[in-house]
Amino acid sequence: MSSQSRGPRAWVRVIGPALLVAGCAQIPQLDDTLSASLESADYPALAPIETLLIPLPEPRERSEEVRQDLESRRDALQDRARRLNNATVVDEETEARMRAGVEG
């Protein structure tokens, strides 16, 4: 086998005729597969895409809105963290017992 027959031209020699033969295949008509009920079905009317799209806000407006939302969430989380840090989880008696158990 020569080096030329193994190159890209070899693929063209194999695939080219295969594609030509595939192009000659008979494809069944799709209209023949529709039932009478599908042919007479009441399909929705088509509408132009422009009427279906919701206009988006300007990026600057949207970014300000997102910034305010993120800052309010940050403030709420910081407030919650402060409350949790200041909360008493273990009462003094239990804490004394725990310290005595660790130290003793």
Side-chain angles (χ1 to χ4, degrees), residues 8-88:
R9 290 184 184 181
W11 284 103
V12 172
R13 288 183 189 150
V14 172
I15 293 176
L19 289 174
L20 289 173
V21 170
C24 296
Q26 289 187 352
I27 300 171
Q29 294 296 321
L30 295 177
D31 293 337
D32 296 341
T33 61
L34 294 176
S35 65
S37 62
L38 283 177
E39 287 183 15
S40 63
D42 187 27
Y43 294 104
L46 296 177
I49 190 77
E50 292 80 19
T51 62
L52 301 175
L53 296 176
I54 300 170
L56 296 175
E58 290 295 319
R60 289 182 193 257
E61 294 172 18
R62 181 72 179 133
S63 65
E64 180 63 25
E65 184 181 312
V66 169
R67 186 185 62 75
Q68 289 174 354
D69 181 49
L70 289 173
E71 286 177 353
S72 67
R73 289 171 60 192
R74 179 201 61 202
D75 294 343
L77 286 170
Q78 286 176 339
D79 185 49
R80 181 177 178 202
R82 259 186 244 105
R83 285 194 318 265
L84 288 172
N85 284 333
N86 294 332
T88 303

